[in-house]
Amino acid sequence: MLAYDALVVGTGAVSVQPPIDGLTGSGALGPRDGVHLLHSMGDTFAVMETLEGTSPASAIIVGAGYIGLEMAEAFVARGLSVTQIEQLPEVLPTVDPELGRLIHSQLVEHGVDVLCRTAVTRISEAPARSTGRLQVDGVGPDGELTRFADIVLVVVGVRPDTSLAVDAGAAIGAKGALAVDRHMRTNLADVFAAGDCVATYHRLLGETYLPLGTTAHKQGRVAGENALGGDREFAGSLGTQVVKIFDTVAARTGLRDHEAIAAGFDPVTIAHEADDHKAYYPGSHRISMRYTGDRRTGRLLGVQLFGHRHAEVAKRIDIAAVALFHEMTIDAISDLDLSYTPPLGSPWDAVQAGAQTWTRETAT
Amino acid sequence: MLAYDALVVGTGAVSVQPPIDGLTGSGALGPRDGVHLLHSMGDTFAVMETLEGTSPASAIIVGAGYIGLEMAEAFVARGLSVTQIEQLPEVLPTVDPELGRLIHSQLVEHGVDVLCRTAVTRISEAPARSTGRLQVDGVGPDGELTRFADIVLVVVGVRPDTSLAVDAGAAIGAKGALAVDRHMRTNLADVFAAGDCVATYHRLLGETYLPLGTTAHKQGRVAGENALGGDREFAGSLGTQVVKIFDTVAARTGLRDHEAIAAGFDPVTIAHEADDHKAYYPGSHRISMRYTGDRRTGRLLGVQLFGHRHAEVAKRIDIAAVALFHEMTIDAISDLDLSYTPPLGSPWDAVQAGAQTWTRETAT
């Protein structure tokens, strides 16, 4: 037993294990069979062992979120032929399908076989002389389907790992995560919690569950400082996220339409495209944008971007994230003094051009 | 004669013509001799004519500001051997010399002969059998020097072109530029002015002269809207600037120490280096940073960055520019929910790592 003055719980999250035949229950397939969940360091080592020990020629990835997409790229880079299966209508369902389609194309361009609207029902050992050691059965828009591969990854998200704190009496918040205040205090005396195991304060949504590394770092810092007698508040998440897929990058911050409606806003989302820098200077790329703002107040609610990995998409979403943090209107984004040189931008940066389009298209 | 209801003056700026023998007065050398100022479209056409008509093998660039540096890169790309002469102690004197030195190295790596602390005194036709058609004499730290080249560019800045408005009675502000209010009104009834010809409102400095394309676009929009009966205010400049030099980018926003002192702040500037993204993911680059904050209040006053052109330096300076716009403290920068994925960033982005270093090093 260890005594403490203050305790910080950082038990994180565990992989969601979807109810797929062959994945759960007795006799379930696992890492030794080439069937993997992927969240922890241990999971990673197990995947590496399968890759190095069995030299798989093909992979099926169940799930097309951040981890699923990154693994598709990694497997293609290793020379595997990859099938990606997503239950929802489009890949990367955390962005609007208009951008998801662009990511989908990027996957297809790199040889990934992408199946959307497809639910996996069963994973099993393949019959002898199949084109892979494992068999995946599912139901897609055209009915039942079967695919074979040598390795199967199931990456459909995570859920908070709260048993330690809950057993001690900790209260639960959004999505079963530990309830904390903005000082990262649980309801238990002298017990703080942070990271993937807690319900996160979102500046636009209030309490939500949004396990992200950036948030975990911030919350850990707040919890640690307060555990030592400090008085710091977690400023809140905006759900800022980014992922690189082959030569492209998708990013978002803030809310999409359905989230904004749920939060009581009156959102309008418009699409815009702009060059990352002056097209007369070699090497320019188009950036696809989606701007969401509140119709009544003109307040910026969210931005989604997609573009080439050298189009500074990640830091452009961060410009929007800082604007969101300060509750700017979309119109005021044009007041920002952003940098310009022809090889890297425009006198009105792409993020300002998108904002101006929103203002123009929503004017009545 | 044209009558008007409202007039917008946008006469811009003209090149500063330094008092160099052979550049001014009767018998001065000009474009036909291969001696060029460079600001207007006409200047550009004249330079192109010299390049295409005389196929120069070598160039001397007088001045190492944004235009001078960009032209050094352009001439090297065309195969010319380039000498760059700067009167001040280091190139790109609009950033701290610690970053200027890094740009200096980049120039040298690409074969540019860089002479700092060197004042050009005379430009003349070279004697026959010289290594170039033109002769440039100057005084450097080791005394007098002479260089030869086939084309000479003099790019030492611009001054506002105000004669039209001044002749009509317009009042003058900083550096002889037209005085305007934040509605871009001159003192003359119904006469607005915008761009390189006006004294610019700076959010931290008040009135200054800072001719930049981004500012001109914003001011033009404000002047235009108000000329048509609108009521919009120019939000002000932060002096955000960026330049690409070969494979690197230098950028700044806000104030440097000496400017902050002049504006009544108590600045401290610290240096920091961070990776643009997780070093375990291939292709990471170091970013050199300088953070300036107010010792008494912790307020962010300025940021300067230098790094690889794929290190998203331009949009990282913009993150700082938005933080500056909202008068954030350096400490609060860590509250910003910025995007993270290993190929593009860190859970604390480089701009937050720099901010944390400032806070740590200035703690007493």
Side-chain angles (χ1 to χ4, degrees), chain A residues 70 214 217-218 221 232 235 237-240 242 244 281 310 312 314-316 318-319 321-322 325-326 328 331 334-341 347-349 356, chain B residues 70 214 217-218 221 232 235 237-240 242 244 281 310 312 314-316 318-319 321-322 325-326 328 331 334-341 347-349 356:
Chain A
E70 289 175 336
T214 44
H217 273 72
K218 289 184 181 69
R221 199 174 189 243
R232 191 176 280 263
S237 171
L238 293 164
T240 313
V242 63
K244 181 182 95 65
Y281 193 98
H310 289 155
E312 307 204 16
K315 296 304 125 191
R316 280 193 162 97
D318 289 348
I319 297 170
V322 186
F325 185 94
H326 290 287
M328 293 183 82
D331 188 48
S334 292
D335 286 339
L336 296 172
D337 184 18
L338 306 181
S339 62
Y340 164 57
T341 185
W348 295 112
D349 188 75
Q356 289 169 11
Chain B
E70 289 174 338
T214 45
H217 273 73
K218 290 183 181 68
R221 199 173 189 243
R232 192 177 279 263
S237 171
L238 293 165
T240 313
V242 63
K244 182 180 95 65
Y281 195 97
H310 288 155
E312 306 204 18
K315 296 304 126 191
R316 280 193 163 98
D318 289 349
I319 296 170
V322 186
F325 185 94
H326 290 288
M328 292 184 82
D331 188 48
S334 292
D335 286 340
L336 296 172
D337 185 18
L338 307 181
S339 63
Y340 165 57
T341 184
W348 296 111
D349 188 75
Q356 289 169 11

Coordinates of all heavy atoms in Angstrom, one line a residue, chain A residues 70 214 217-218 221 232 235 237-240 242 244 281 310 312 314-316 318-319 321-322 325-326 328 331 334-341 347-349 356, chain B residues 70 214 217-218 221 232 235 237-240 242 244 281 310 312 314-316 318-319 321-322 325-326 328 331 334-341 347-349 356:
Chain A
E70 N -4.0 5.8 -40.7 CA -2.5 5.9 -40.5 C -1.9 4.5 -40.7 O -0.8 4.3 -41.3 CB -2.1 6.4 -39.1 CG -2.4 7.9 -39.0 CD -2.1 8.4 -37.6 OE1 -2.2 7.7 -36.6 OE2 -1.9 9.6 -37.5
T214 N -3.2 15.8 -27.2 CA -3.0 17.2 -26.8 C -3.8 17.5 -25.6 O -3.3 18.2 -24.7 CB -3.6 18.1 -28.0 OG1 -4.8 17.6 -28.4 CG2 -2.6 18.1 -29.1
H217 N -2.2 16.0 -22.5 CA -1.0 16.7 -22.0 C -1.5 18.0 -21.2 O -0.9 18.2 -20.1 CB -0.2 17.2 -23.2 CG 0.8 16.2 -23.6 ND1 0.5 15.1 -24.3 CD2 2.2 16.2 -23.5 CE1 1.6 14.4 -24.6 NE2 2.7 15.1 -24.1
K218 N -2.5 18.7 -21.7 CA -2.9 19.9 -21.0 C -3.5 19.5 -19.6 O -3.3 20.2 -18.6 CB -3.9 20.6 -21.8 CG -3.3 21.3 -23.1 CD -4.4 22.1 -23.8 CE -3.7 22.7 -25.1 NZ -3.3 21.7 -26.1
R221 N -1.0 18.4 -17.0 CA -0.3 19.6 -16.5 C -1.1 20.3 -15.4 O -0.6 20.7 -14.3 CB 0.0 20.5 -17.6 CG 1.1 21.6 -17.4 CD 1.3 22.3 -18.7 NE 2.5 23.2 -18.7 CZ 2.4 24.5 -18.9 NH1 1.3 25.1 -19.0 NH2 3.5 25.2 -18.9
R232 N -4.9 25.9 -11.1 CA -5.0 26.2 -12.5 C -6.2 25.5 -13.0 O -6.6 24.4 -12.6 CB -3.7 25.6 -13.2 CG -3.6 26.1 -14.6 CD -2.3 25.6 -15.3 NE -1.2 26.4 -14.9 CZ -0.7 27.4 -15.7 NH1 -1.3 27.7 -16.9 NH2 0.4 28.1 -15.4
A235 N -8.4 24.9 -19.7 CA -9.1 25.9 -20.6 C -10.1 25.3 -21.5 O -11.0 26.0 -22.0 CB -8.1 26.7 -21.4
S237 N -11.2 22.0 -24.4 CA -10.8 21.5 -25.8 C -11.7 22.2 -26.8 O -12.8 22.7 -26.5 CB -11.1 20.0 -25.8 OG -11.0 19.5 -27.1
L238 N -11.2 22.2 -28.0 CA -12.0 22.6 -29.2 C -12.1 21.5 -30.2 O -12.6 21.7 -31.3 CB -11.4 23.8 -29.9 CG -11.4 25.1 -29.0 CD1 -10.4 26.1 -29.6 CD2 -12.8 25.7 -29.0
G239 N -11.6 20.3 -29.8 CA -11.7 19.2 -30.7 C -10.8 19.3 -31.9 O -11.0 18.7 -32.9
T240 N -9.7 20.1 -31.7 CA -8.8 20.3 -32.9 C -8.0 19.0 -33.1 O -7.5 18.3 -32.2 CB -7.7 21.4 -32.5 OG1 -8.4 22.5 -32.0 CG2 -7.0 21.8 -33.8
V242 N -5.9 16.5 -36.4 CA -5.3 16.5 -37.7 C -4.8 15.1 -38.0 O -4.4 14.4 -37.1 CB -4.1 17.5 -37.8 CG1 -3.0 17.2 -36.9 CG2 -3.6 17.6 -39.3
K244 N -2.4 12.9 -41.2 CA -1.8 12.8 -42.5 C -2.2 11.5 -43.2 O -2.1 10.4 -42.5 CB -0.3 12.9 -42.4 CG 0.5 12.9 -43.7 CD 2.0 13.0 -43.6 CE 2.6 11.6 -43.6 NZ 2.5 10.9 -44.9
Y281 N 3.5 31.1 -58.3 CA 4.8 30.6 -57.7 C 4.7 29.0 -57.7 O 3.7 28.5 -57.2 CB 5.0 31.1 -56.3 CG 6.4 30.9 -55.8 CD1 7.4 31.9 -55.9 CD2 6.8 29.6 -55.3 CE1 8.7 31.6 -55.5 CE2 8.1 29.4 -54.9 CZ 9.1 30.4 -55.0 OH 10.3 30.2 -54.6
H310 N 2.2 19.6 -47.8 CA 3.1 20.8 -47.8 C 2.2 22.1 -47.9 O 2.8 23.1 -48.2 CB 4.1 20.7 -48.9 CG 5.2 19.7 -48.6 ND1 5.9 19.1 -49.5 CD2 5.6 19.1 -47.4 CE1 6.8 18.2 -48.9 NE2 6.6 18.2 -47.6
E312 N 0.6 23.4 -45.4 CA 0.5 24.0 -44.1 C -0.9 23.9 -43.5 O -1.4 24.8 -42.9 CB 1.1 25.4 -44.0 CG 2.5 25.5 -44.5 CD 3.3 26.6 -44.1 OE1 3.0 27.3 -43.1 OE2 4.4 26.9 -44.7
A314 N -2.1 21.8 -41.2 CA -2.2 21.6 -39.8 C -2.1 22.9 -39.0 O -2.9 23.2 -38.1 CB -1.0 20.7 -39.3
K315 N -1.2 23.8 -39.4 CA -1.1 25.1 -38.7 C -2.1 26.1 -39.2 O -2.4 27.0 -38.4 CB 0.4 25.6 -38.9 CG 1.4 24.7 -38.2 CD 1.2 24.4 -36.8 CE 1.1 22.9 -36.5 NZ 0.6 22.6 -35.1
R316 N -2.7 25.8 -40.3 CA -3.8 26.7 -40.7 C -5.1 26.3 -39.9 O -5.8 27.2 -39.5 CB -4.2 26.5 -42.2 CG -3.2 27.4 -43.1 CD -3.7 27.4 -44.5 NE -3.1 28.5 -45.3 CZ -2.1 28.4 -46.1 NH1 -1.5 27.2 -46.3 NH2 -1.5 29.5 -46.7
D318 N -4.8 25.5 -36.9 CA -4.5 26.1 -35.6 C -4.8 27.6 -35.6 O -5.2 28.1 -34.5 CB -3.1 25.8 -35.3 CG -2.8 24.4 -35.0 OD1 -3.7 23.6 -34.8 OD2 -1.6 24.0 -34.9
I319 N -4.7 28.2 -36.7 CA -5.1 29.6 -36.8 C -6.6 29.7 -36.5 O -7.0 30.6 -35.7 CB -4.8 30.2 -38.2 CG1 -3.3 30.2 -38.5 CG2 -5.4 31.6 -38.3 CD1 -2.9 30.5 -39.9
A321 N -8.2 27.6 -34.8 CA -8.4 27.1 -33.4 C -8.2 28.3 -32.5 O -8.9 28.4 -31.5 CB -7.5 26.0 -33.1
V322 N -7.2 29.1 -32.8 CA -7.0 30.3 -31.9 C -8.2 31.3 -32.0 O -8.6 31.9 -31.1 CB -5.6 31.0 -32.2 CG1 -5.4 32.1 -31.2 CG2 -4.5 30.0 -32.1
F325 N -11.0 29.9 -30.0 CA -10.7 30.1 -28.6 C -11.1 31.4 -28.2 O -11.7 31.6 -27.0 CB -9.2 29.9 -28.4 CG -8.7 29.9 -27.0 CD1 -8.6 28.7 -26.3 CD2 -8.4 31.1 -26.3 CE1 -8.1 28.7 -24.9 CE2 -8.0 31.1 -25.0 CZ -7.9 29.9 -24.3
H326 N -11.0 32.4 -29.0 CA -11.3 33.8 -28.6 C -12.7 34.2 -29.1 O -13.1 35.4 -29.1 CB -10.3 34.8 -29.2 CG -9.0 34.6 -28.4 ND1 -8.8 35.1 -27.2 CD2 -7.8 34.0 -28.8 CE1 -7.6 34.8 -26.8 NE2 -6.9 34.2 -27.7
M328 N -14.2 34.5 -31.9 CA -14.3 35.5 -33.0 C -15.5 35.2 -33.9 O -15.9 34.1 -34.1 CB -13.0 35.5 -33.8 CG -11.8 35.9 -33.1 SD -10.3 36.0 -34.2 CE -10.5 37.6 -35.0
D331 N -16.4 37.1 -39.7 CA -16.1 38.3 -40.4 C -14.8 38.9 -39.8 O -13.9 39.4 -40.6 CB -17.2 39.3 -40.2 CG -17.0 40.6 -41.0 OD1 -16.7 40.5 -42.2 OD2 -17.1 41.7 -40.5
S334 N -10.9 38.3 -41.1 CA -10.2 39.1 -42.1 C -9.4 40.2 -41.4 O -8.6 40.8 -42.1 CB -11.2 39.7 -43.1 OG -11.8 38.6 -43.8
D335 N -9.7 40.5 -40.1 CA -8.9 41.5 -39.4 C -7.5 41.0 -39.0 O -6.6 41.8 -38.6 CB -9.6 42.0 -38.2 CG -10.8 42.9 -38.5 OD1 -10.8 43.4 -39.6 OD2 -11.7 43.0 -37.7
L336 N -7.3 39.7 -39.0 CA -6.1 39.1 -38.5 C -4.9 39.5 -39.4 O -5.0 39.3 -40.6 CB -6.2 37.6 -38.3 CG -7.3 37.2 -37.3 CD1 -7.5 35.7 -37.4 CD2 -6.9 37.6 -35.9
D337 N -3.8 39.9 -38.8 CA -2.6 40.2 -39.5 C -1.8 39.0 -39.7 O -0.8 38.7 -38.9 CB -1.8 41.3 -38.8 CG -0.6 41.8 -39.6 OD1 -0.6 41.5 -40.9 OD2 0.3 42.4 -39.0
L338 N -2.1 38.2 -40.7 CA -1.4 36.9 -41.0 C -0.2 37.2 -42.0 O -0.2 38.2 -42.7 CB -2.4 35.9 -41.6 CG -3.6 35.7 -40.7 CD1 -4.5 34.6 -41.4 CD2 -3.2 35.3 -39.3
S339 N 0.7 36.3 -42.0 CA 1.9 36.5 -42.8 C 1.7 36.2 -44.3 O 0.8 35.4 -44.7 CB 3.0 35.6 -42.3 OG 2.7 34.2 -42.5
Y340 N 2.5 36.9 -45.2 CA 2.3 36.7 -46.6 C 3.7 36.7 -47.3 O 4.4 37.7 -47.1 CB 1.4 37.7 -47.2 CG 1.5 37.7 -48.7 CD1 1.3 36.6 -49.5 CD2 1.8 38.9 -49.4 CE1 1.4 36.7 -50.9 CE2 1.9 39.0 -50.8 CZ 1.7 37.9 -51.5 OH 1.8 37.9 -52.9
T341 N 3.9 35.7 -48.1 CA 5.0 35.8 -49.1 C 4.5 34.8 -50.2 O 3.9 33.8 -49.9 CB 6.3 35.4 -48.6 OG1 7.3 35.6 -49.6 CG2 6.4 34.0 -48.1
P347 N -2.1 37.4 -49.9 CA -2.3 38.6 -49.0 C -3.5 38.4 -48.1 O -3.5 38.8 -47.0 CB -2.5 39.7 -50.0 CG -1.8 39.3 -51.3 CD -2.0 37.8 -51.3
W348 N -4.6 37.8 -48.6 CA -5.6 37.2 -47.8 C -5.3 35.7 -47.7 O -5.4 35.0 -48.7 CB -7.0 37.4 -48.4 CG -7.5 38.8 -48.5 CD1 -7.7 39.5 -49.6 CD2 -7.9 39.7 -47.4 NE1 -8.2 40.7 -49.4 CE2 -8.3 40.9 -48.0 CE3 -7.9 39.6 -46.0 CZ2 -8.7 42.0 -47.3 CZ3 -8.3 40.7 -45.3 CH2 -8.7 41.9 -45.9
D349 N -4.9 35.3 -46.6 CA -4.6 33.9 -46.5 C -5.8 33.0 -46.8 O -6.9 33.4 -46.6 CB -4.1 33.5 -45.1 CG -3.5 32.1 -45.0 OD1 -2.4 31.9 -45.6 OD2 -4.3 31.2 -44.5
Q356 N -14.3 34.8 -45.8 CA -15.0 35.8 -46.6 C -16.1 35.2 -47.5 O -17.1 35.8 -47.7 CB -13.9 36.6 -47.5 CG -13.1 37.5 -46.6 CD -11.9 38.1 -47.4 OE1 -11.8 38.0 -48.6 NE2 -11.0 38.7 -46.6
Chain B
E70 N 15.2 37.7 -51.7 CA 14.4 36.9 -52.7 C 15.1 37.0 -54.1 O 15.1 36.0 -54.8 CB 13.0 37.4 -52.8 CG 12.1 37.1 -51.6 CD 10.7 37.7 -51.6 OE1 10.5 38.7 -52.3 OE2 9.9 37.2 -50.9
T214 N -0.2 42.7 -47.2 CA -1.4 42.3 -46.4 C -2.1 43.5 -45.8 O -3.3 43.5 -45.9 CB -0.9 41.4 -45.2 OG1 0.3 42.0 -44.6 CG2 -0.5 40.0 -45.7
H217 N -4.1 45.4 -48.5 CA -5.3 44.7 -48.8 C -6.4 45.0 -47.8 O -7.5 45.4 -48.1 CB -5.2 43.2 -48.9 CG -4.7 42.7 -50.2 ND1 -3.4 42.9 -50.7 CD2 -5.4 42.0 -51.2 CE1 -3.3 42.3 -51.9 NE2 -4.5 41.8 -52.2
K218 N -6.0 45.0 -46.5 CA -7.0 45.2 -45.5 C -7.4 46.7 -45.5 O -8.6 47.0 -45.4 CB -6.4 44.9 -44.1 CG -6.2 43.4 -43.9 CD -5.7 43.2 -42.5 CE -5.4 41.7 -42.3 NZ -4.3 41.1 -43.1
R221 N -9.7 47.5 -48.4 CA -11.1 47.0 -48.2 C -11.9 48.0 -47.3 O -13.0 48.3 -47.5 CB -11.0 45.7 -47.5 CG -12.2 44.8 -47.6 CD -11.8 43.4 -47.1 NE -12.8 42.4 -47.2 CZ -13.4 41.8 -46.2 NH1 -13.1 42.1 -45.0 NH2 -14.3 40.8 -46.5
R232 N -16.5 50.9 -41.3 CA -15.6 49.9 -40.9 C -14.2 50.5 -40.4 O -13.8 51.5 -41.0 CB -15.3 48.9 -42.0 CG -14.6 47.6 -41.6 CD -14.5 46.6 -42.7 NE -15.7 45.9 -43.0 CZ -15.9 44.6 -42.5 NH1 -15.1 44.0 -41.7 NH2 -17.0 44.0 -42.8
A235 N -8.4 47.2 -38.3 CA -8.1 46.6 -37.0 C -6.6 46.8 -36.6 O -6.3 46.7 -35.4 CB -8.4 45.1 -37.0
S237 N -2.2 46.7 -37.8 CA -1.1 45.7 -38.1 C -0.4 45.2 -36.9 O -0.5 45.8 -35.8 CB -0.1 46.5 -39.0 OG 1.0 45.7 -39.2
L238 N 0.2 44.1 -37.0 CA 1.1 43.5 -36.0 C 2.5 43.4 -36.6 O 3.3 42.8 -35.9 CB 0.6 42.2 -35.5 CG -0.8 42.3 -34.7 CD1 -1.4 40.9 -34.6 CD2 -0.5 42.9 -33.3
G239 N 2.6 43.8 -37.8 CA 3.9 43.7 -38.4 C 4.3 42.3 -38.8 O 5.5 41.9 -38.8
T240 N 3.3 41.4 -39.0 CA 3.5 40.0 -39.3 C 4.2 39.9 -40.7 O 3.6 40.5 -41.7 CB 2.2 39.2 -39.3 OG1 1.5 39.6 -38.1 CG2 2.5 37.7 -39.4
V242 N 6.9 37.4 -43.5 CA 7.6 36.1 -43.7 C 8.3 36.2 -45.0 O 7.9 36.9 -45.9 CB 6.5 35.0 -43.7 CG1 5.5 35.1 -44.8 CG2 7.2 33.6 -43.8
K244 N 10.8 33.5 -47.7 CA 11.4 32.2 -47.9 C 12.8 32.5 -48.6 O 12.9 33.4 -49.5 CB 10.6 31.4 -48.9 CG 11.2 30.0 -49.3 CD 10.4 29.3 -50.2 CE 10.9 29.4 -51.7 NZ 12.3 28.9 -51.9
Y281 N 9.4 10.5 -36.3 CA 8.8 10.4 -37.6 C 9.7 11.1 -38.6 O 10.1 12.2 -38.4 CB 7.4 11.1 -37.6 CG 6.6 10.7 -38.8 CD1 5.7 9.7 -38.8 CD2 6.8 11.3 -40.1 CE1 4.9 9.3 -39.9 CE2 6.1 11.0 -41.2 CZ 5.2 9.9 -41.1 OH 4.4 9.6 -42.2
H310 N 9.5 23.4 -45.1 CA 8.4 22.5 -44.9 C 8.1 22.3 -43.4 O 7.4 21.4 -43.0 CB 8.7 21.1 -45.5 CG 8.6 21.1 -47.0 ND1 9.2 20.3 -47.8 CD2 7.9 22.0 -47.8 CE1 9.0 20.5 -49.1 NE2 8.2 21.6 -49.1
E312 N 6.3 24.5 -41.7 CA 5.1 25.3 -41.4 C 5.4 26.5 -40.5 O 4.6 26.9 -39.6 CB 4.0 24.4 -40.8 CG 3.7 23.2 -41.6 CD 2.3 22.5 -41.5 OE1 1.4 23.2 -40.9 OE2 2.1 21.4 -41.9
A314 N 5.5 29.6 -41.6 CA 4.7 30.8 -41.9 C 3.4 30.7 -41.1 O 2.9 31.7 -40.5 CB 4.3 30.8 -43.4
K315 N 2.7 29.6 -41.1 CA 1.5 29.5 -40.4 C 1.7 29.4 -38.9 O 0.8 29.7 -38.1 CB 0.6 28.3 -40.9 CG 0.2 28.5 -42.4 CD -0.5 29.9 -42.6 CE 0.2 30.7 -43.7 NZ -0.4 32.1 -43.8
R316 N 2.8 29.0 -38.4 CA 3.1 29.0 -37.0 C 3.3 30.5 -36.5 O 2.8 30.8 -35.4 CB 4.4 28.2 -36.7 CG 4.1 26.7 -36.6 CD 5.3 25.9 -36.0 NE 4.8 24.6 -35.5 CZ 5.0 23.5 -36.2 NH1 5.6 23.5 -37.4 NH2 4.6 22.3 -35.7
D318 N 1.6 32.8 -37.7 CA 0.3 33.3 -37.7 C -0.5 32.9 -36.5 O -1.4 33.6 -36.0 CB -0.5 32.7 -39.0 CG 0.0 33.4 -40.2 OD1 0.7 34.4 -40.2 OD2 -0.4 32.9 -41.3
I319 N -0.2 31.7 -35.9 CA -0.7 31.3 -34.6 C -0.4 32.3 -33.6 O -1.2 32.8 -32.8 CB -0.2 29.9 -34.2 CG1 -0.7 28.8 -35.2 CG2 -0.7 29.6 -32.8 CD1 0.0 27.5 -35.0
A321 N 0.5 35.4 -34.3 CA -0.2 36.6 -34.6 C -1.6 36.7 -34.1 O -2.0 37.8 -33.6 CB -0.1 36.8 -36.1
V322 N -2.3 35.6 -34.1 CA -3.7 35.6 -33.6 C -3.6 35.7 -32.1 O -4.5 36.5 -31.5 CB -4.5 34.3 -34.0 CG1 -5.9 34.5 -33.6 CG2 -4.4 34.1 -35.5
F325 N -3.0 39.4 -31.4 CA -4.2 40.1 -31.7 C -5.1 40.2 -30.5 O -5.7 41.2 -30.2 CB -4.9 39.5 -32.9 CG -6.1 40.2 -33.4 CD1 -6.0 41.1 -34.5 CD2 -7.4 40.0 -32.9 CE1 -7.1 41.8 -35.0 CE2 -8.5 40.7 -33.4 CZ -8.3 41.6 -34.4
H326 N -5.1 39.0 -29.8 CA -6.0 39.0 -28.6 C -5.3 39.3 -27.3 O -5.8 39.0 -26.3 CB -6.7 37.6 -28.6 CG -7.7 37.4 -29.7 ND1 -8.9 38.0 -29.7 CD2 -7.6 36.7 -30.9 CE1 -9.6 37.7 -30.8 NE2 -8.8 36.9 -31.5
M328 N -2.9 38.0 -25.7 CA -2.7 36.9 -24.8 C -1.4 37.0 -24.0 O -0.5 37.6 -24.4 CB -2.7 35.5 -25.5 CG -4.0 35.2 -26.2 SD -3.9 33.5 -27.0 CE -4.2 32.5 -25.6
D331 N 2.0 32.7 -21.1 CA 1.6 31.5 -20.4 C 0.3 30.9 -21.0 O 0.1 29.7 -21.1 CB 1.3 31.9 -18.9 CG 1.1 30.7 -18.1 OD1 1.8 29.7 -18.2 OD2 0.1 30.7 -17.3
S334 N -0.2 28.1 -23.9 CA -0.3 26.7 -23.6 C -1.8 26.2 -23.5 O -2.0 25.0 -23.5 CB 0.5 26.3 -22.4 OG 1.9 26.5 -22.6
D335 N -2.7 27.1 -23.3 CA -4.1 26.7 -23.2 C -4.7 26.5 -24.6 O -5.8 25.9 -24.7 CB -4.9 27.9 -22.6 CG -4.7 28.0 -21.1 OD1 -4.2 27.0 -20.5 OD2 -5.0 29.0 -20.5
L336 N -4.0 26.9 -25.7 CA -4.6 26.8 -27.0 C -4.7 25.3 -27.5 O -3.7 24.6 -27.3 CB -3.8 27.6 -28.0 CG -3.8 29.1 -27.7 CD1 -2.8 29.8 -28.6 CD2 -5.2 29.7 -27.9
D337 N -5.8 25.0 -28.0 CA -6.0 23.6 -28.5 C -5.6 23.5 -29.9 O -6.3 23.6 -30.9 CB -7.5 23.2 -28.3 CG -7.7 21.8 -28.7 OD1 -6.8 21.0 -28.7 OD2 -8.9 21.4 -29.0
L338 N -4.3 23.3 -30.1 CA -3.7 23.2 -31.4 C -3.6 21.7 -31.9 O -3.7 20.8 -31.0 CB -2.3 23.8 -31.4 CG -2.2 25.2 -30.8 CD1 -0.7 25.7 -30.9 CD2 -3.1 26.2 -31.5
S339 N -3.5 21.5 -33.2 CA -3.6 20.2 -33.7 C -2.3 19.4 -33.5 O -1.2 20.0 -33.4 CB -3.9 20.3 -35.2 OG -2.9 20.9 -35.9
Y340 N -2.4 18.1 -33.5 CA -1.3 17.2 -33.3 C -1.4 15.9 -34.1 O -2.4 15.2 -33.9 CB -1.0 16.9 -31.8 CG -0.1 15.8 -31.6 CD1 1.2 15.8 -32.2 CD2 -0.4 14.6 -30.9 CE1 2.1 14.7 -32.0 CE2 0.4 13.6 -30.7 CZ 1.7 13.6 -31.3 OH 2.5 12.5 -31.1
T341 N -0.4 15.6 -34.8 CA -0.2 14.3 -35.3 C 1.3 14.2 -35.5 O 2.0 15.1 -35.9 CB -1.0 14.0 -36.7 OG1 -0.8 12.6 -37.0 CG2 -0.5 14.9 -37.8
P347 N 2.5 17.1 -29.2 CA 1.3 17.4 -28.4 C 1.3 18.8 -27.8 O 0.3 19.4 -27.7 CB 1.4 16.3 -27.3 CG 2.2 15.2 -27.9 CD 3.2 15.9 -28.8
W348 N 2.5 19.3 -27.4 CA 2.7 20.7 -27.3 C 3.4 21.2 -28.5 O 4.5 20.8 -28.8 CB 3.6 21.1 -26.1 CG 3.1 20.7 -24.7 CD1 3.6 19.7 -23.9 CD2 2.0 21.2 -24.0 NE1 2.9 19.6 -22.8 CE2 1.9 20.6 -22.8 CE3 1.1 22.3 -24.3 CZ2 1.0 20.9 -21.8 CZ3 0.1 22.6 -23.3 CH2 0.1 21.9 -22.1
D349 N 2.7 22.0 -29.3 CA 3.3 22.4 -30.6 C 4.5 23.3 -30.3 O 4.7 23.8 -29.2 CB 2.3 23.3 -31.4 CG 2.8 23.6 -32.7 OD1 2.9 22.7 -33.6 OD2 3.3 24.7 -32.9
Q356 N 6.5 28.1 -23.3 CA 6.8 27.5 -22.0 C 8.2 27.8 -21.5 O 8.5 28.0 -20.3 CB 6.5 26.0 -22.0 CG 5.0 25.7 -22.1 CD 4.6 24.2 -22.4 OE1 5.5 23.4 -22.3 NE2 3.4 24.0 -22.7

